[in-house]
Amino acid sequence: MLITIDKVLTKEQVLQFRQQLDHADWSDGAATAGTLAKSVKRNQQLDDNGELCIALGNQIVRTLSQTPLFISAALPRTIYPPKFNRYADGGTYGAHVDSALMFLPGSSQQMRTDLSATLFLAEPDEYDGGELEVEGPFGVQCVKLEAGDMVLYPSSSLHRVTPVTRGARVASFFWIESLVANETERTLLFDLDQSVQHMAPSFAPDDQRLVQLTGVYHNLLRRWAKT
Ligand code: NI
């Protein structure tokens, strides 16, 4: 399932990100792709070890840790330090599946990629093309969001970024290992949590029906979460 999270960053934050990113040194993204991905990847990336990437990445992770919709949807155990890319001049990334396991930068610790995230940092009218296309059980879904908005999709899905034919598409991307690896279970928990959250204002906080439903959520989470 694709989950969109609006306004992860405010427009002011996006502006502040862009002022720095637009003057940054971008390098060829193919250098960091796996053997297969290298042939389909044509974009630019920011140096992962650079101060700017680390500072902006930390800011994103801090914001996400205070975003209830993200926590509910991803149930994150580990968030890969956010990376940044830029597509321009026909830049594209052909169909691929993200690597299942990744080493955390500068560490021997590995994480499993359950969810992939793209946080858009350019407004849709700044560029043509650059849609994120994700293949799912009901066909291809096309994603192009406002700057500051983010999409989460299963890392297991085949996805691509269509060629950018005008302007530049700037985004942050990263992966999440979830406490609940199974997508069906994670989606059920998300749906249940969202239903409870939407119902809650209509009930007294000690209403037994609400208490019981909240209990069901936690007891399912206890069953399915692997810490
Ligand atoms: Ni990918």
Side-chain angles (χ1 to χ4, degrees):
M1 187 171 67
L2 257 68
I3 299 165
T4 300
I5 303 173
D6 292 344
K7 300 182 176 58
V8 169
L9 296 180
T10 63
K11 295 295 181 194
E12 293 77 51
Q13 284 175 311
V14 170
L15 197 67
Q16 175 221 330
F17 272 55
R18 283 293 299 278
Q19 278 165 352
Q20 299 175 76
L21 289 170
D22 288 352
H23 298 106
D25 274 333
W26 294 89
S27 51
D28 184 359
T32 58
T35 325
L36 261 179
K38 199 172 289 224
S39 58
V40 292
K41 188 177 182 185
R42 272 205 296 132
N43 67 1
Q44 296 174 298
Q45 265 178 226
L46 200 60
D47 173 16
D48 297 352
N49 302 313
E51 259 176 53
L52 181 60
C53 186
I54 293 168
L56 297 182
N58 285 342
Q59 201 177 329
I60 292 172
V61 173
R62 266 199 309 277
T63 304
L64 287 175
S65 68
Q66 295 157 16
T67 305
L69 190 58
F70 170 75
I71 306 286
S72 173
L75 295 167
R77 192 221 307 254
T78 307
I79 301 176
Y80 192 96
K83 294 153 80 82
F84 296 84
N85 61 14
R86 184 175 182 276
Y87 293 80
D89 305 317
T92 180
Y93 199 160
H96 67 279
V97 170
D98 293 342
S99 301
L101 298 172
M102 294 194 190
F103 282 101
L104 291 169
S107 153
S108 56
Q109 193 196 330
Q110 271 187 315
M111 65 176 274
R112 184 189 59 240
T113 57
D114 295 318
L115 290 157
S116 300
T118 298
L119 171 60
F120 289 76
L121 294 171
E123 296 294 353
D125 63 6
E126 286 184 63
Y127 59 97
D128 290 333
E131 282 96 0
L132 172 66
E133 292 185 345
V134 183
E135 289 193 18
F138 303 109
V140 176
Q141 281 183 276
C142 217
V143 187
K144 186 169 179 172
L145 303 177
E146 273 191 36
D149 295 355
M150 187 174 95
V151 64
L152 286 173
Y153 56 98
S155 298
S156 54
S157 61
L158 199 61
H159 56 276
R160 68 181 72 80
V161 176
T162 63
V164 171
T165 53
R166 177 188 64 87
R169 174 199 197 265
V170 182
S172 176
F173 65 105
F174 50 95
W175 301 272
I176 297 115
E177 178 175 320
S178 178
L179 293 163
V180 178
N182 182 292
E183 202 212 333
T184 307
E185 293 171 353
R186 198 186 325 114
T187 303
L188 280 170
L189 286 168
F190 178 63
D191 289 345
L192 180 55
D193 184 49
Q194 291 304 296
S195 303
V196 172
Q197 297 300 330
H198 288 129
M199 285 164 52
S202 321
F203 290 80
D206 60 349
D207 187 296
Q208 277 313 297
R209 293 164 296 180
L210 192 61
V211 171
Q212 196 168 23
L213 209 49
T214 305
V216 170
Y217 173 80
H218 284 287
N219 290 331
L220 283 174
L221 181 58
R222 198 185 325 280
R223 219 181 156 82
W224 292 335
K226 302 273 188 300
T227 57

